[in-house]
Amino acid sequence: MSERPVAMFAMTAENVPRIFPPGVLARLRDLVDIDPVLVAEDFTRPAVREALARTKILISGWGCPPLDAAVLEAAPKLRAVLHAAGSVKGFVTPAVWERGLVVSSAAGANALPVAEYTLAMILLAGKDVLTHRDRLRAERAFPHQGVLPGIGNFGRRVGVIGASRTGRRLIELLRPFDLRVGLADPYVDEAGAAALGVTLLPLDALLGGSDVVSVHAPQTAETRHLIGRRELALMPDGSVLVNTARGSLVDHDALVEELRTGRLGAILDVTEPEPLPAHSPLYDLPNAFVTPHLAGSQGNELARLGLVVVGEAERLAAGRVPEFPVDERELGRMA
């Protein structure tokens, strides 16, 4: 058997056993020479610096320090960065691309639980579950006799903003249901939308013609407050906005104004700021449902990210390219 390449974890140390539980870690250690105790939370530590000089594969995660020119100079043997999380924008610097390192990400695996959360919320919103849960709790009796008008998921219109990894995964999950799905994304053409099985729409048309709008665009300077006062006003009465992307994509002041009228509903797993201040009206408005950024990988879902890294390490060991490479040109639009 050939000598295993030296690898090192670069993330918050507490995340290593979460992402690489015993079974996943054992598979990884069959492929690479890695010390699960020596974790690079800071590349200036002498022990980390010494190990960095021998490292060929860096296994990064949440909390990875920036990979700048000085770090790369101290890692002459480094050939690949396998990221056991989503976006690499927070720590991959231009020096990484200039060096020509292979970069891989588990963003696709992290997109799955976000898409699953979003699917669940879309279906619950179609049944107006939260409103009727609260009414039942308050009245302790059924607030209706038999059939409730105005709710249901048959033919409901769902608008997806952004064909990101999560947006595309959500579209896949929506296919078995009797829903009409539209997509707004400036990077997708008619042929691309047809391949996804959705109708391509301008953003304004999507907002104006959807019962539920789900935000999956990346966080960039251009997408800040993508959904503002004007955009919210386009949404039909009784429609629901779902945001599992980034809080900055929605103007929260404008959203609170709309929610106070009772015209719209909102389901927010991400906010700006995060967490919300204690005095935020979003905690108390009956038509706002806020969760603490839990749509992404949590608990046992974290092991899925570790398994992606194991798979990528297997491909590198076999002399193949990663299955989930990160393209520098796509960083601005894929989330």
Side-chain angles (χ1 to χ4, degrees):
M1 180 177 178
S2 60
E3 184 179 353
R4 292 172 300 158
V6 175
M8 182 166 61
F9 288 119
M11 61 182 73
T12 304
E14 64 185 10
N15 282 323
V16 171
R18 295 170 178 170
I19 299 172
F20 296 91
V24 180
L25 180 61
R27 287 184 57 185
L28 181 65
R29 298 186 79 176
D30 284 341
L31 297 164
V32 299
D33 180 2
I34 191 165
D35 181 353
V37 176
L38 181 63
V39 181
E41 295 181 292
D42 179 354
F43 285 123
T44 64
R45 283 178 52 205
V48 168
R49 203 77 170 177
E50 181 183 350
L52 193 60
R54 305 188 305 273
T55 297
K56 287 188 177 182
I57 299 174
L58 198 67
I59 298 176
S60 58
W62 294 297
C64 179
L67 299 178
D68 56 25
V71 171
L72 296 185
E73 185 177 355
K77 297 183 178 181
L78 188 62
R79 296 292 179 267
V81 179
L82 308 182
H83 190 48
S87 175
V88 302
K89 287 189 286 186
F91 69 96
V92 167
T93 71
V96 171
W97 307 117
E98 292 167 8
R99 173 85 165 263
L101 297 180
V102 171
V103 180
S104 169
S105 169
N110 194 48
L112 176 56
V114 182
E116 290 173 341
Y117 171 104
T118 307
L119 170 66
M121 291 302 174
I122 288 171
L123 296 176
L124 290 175
K127 285 287 193 178
D128 200 11
V129 164
L130 301 177
T131 297
H132 291 289
R133 187 278 311 266
D134 290 345
R135 288 185 62 183
L136 180 61
R137 178 179 290 172
E139 299 175 16
R140 305 299 167 111
F142 277 12
H144 61 91
Q145 296 296 323
V147 175
L148 277 169
I151 69 170
N153 285 306
F154 178 62
R156 189 165 291 272
R157 302 165 299 173
V158 177
V160 178
I161 299 177
S164 62
R165 292 180 180 91
T166 305
R168 289 169 184 264
R169 203 66 187 263
L170 173 63
I171 288 169
E172 291 177 10
L173 296 181
L174 289 170
R175 282 182 189 140
F177 300 94
D178 291 319
L179 300 166
R180 290 178 286 165
V181 183
L183 170 69
D185 189 314
Y187 295 98
V188 176
D189 59 18
E190 292 284 355
L196 291 170
V198 298
T199 303
L200 187 65
L201 297 168
L203 179 59
D204 285 5
L206 179 136
L207 290 167
S210 297
D211 299 301
V212 182
V213 173
S214 190
V215 183
H216 300 286
Q219 178 177 262
T220 66
E222 291 75 20
T223 60
R224 178 172 176 77
H225 290 182
L226 177 69
I227 307 299
R229 187 169 284 102
R230 187 188 74 83
E231 290 74 23
L232 290 167
L234 295 173
M235 294 178 63
D237 290 358
S239 59
V240 177
L241 178 71
V242 182
N243 187 12
T244 57
R246 289 291 184 269
S248 66
L249 274 66
V250 177
D251 180 340
H252 282 55
D253 291 338
L255 179 61
V256 167
E257 288 179 17
E258 280 285 4
L259 293 176
R260 279 176 168 156
T261 70
R263 202 178 69 79
L264 304 178
I267 296 171
L268 308 173
D269 187 55
V270 290
T271 57
E272 186 185 44
E274 199 170 63
L276 290 168
H279 62 269
S280 173
L282 290 169
Y283 286 122
D284 300 312
L285 285 165
N287 48 346
F289 184 76
V290 184
T291 54
H293 203 145
L294 53 76
S297 297
Q298 300 285 343
N300 61 23
E301 296 165 335
L302 294 173
R304 184 190 285 130
L305 307 181
L307 287 171
V308 168
V309 168
V310 169
E312 298 293 60
E314 288 174 341
R315 290 178 185 85
L316 291 178
R320 305 201 308 270
V321 298
E323 184 178 1
F324 306 108
V326 176
D327 185 334
E328 179 186 10
R329 296 167 296 180
E330 293 186 346
L331 284 181
R333 70 181 185 90
M334 295 299 287

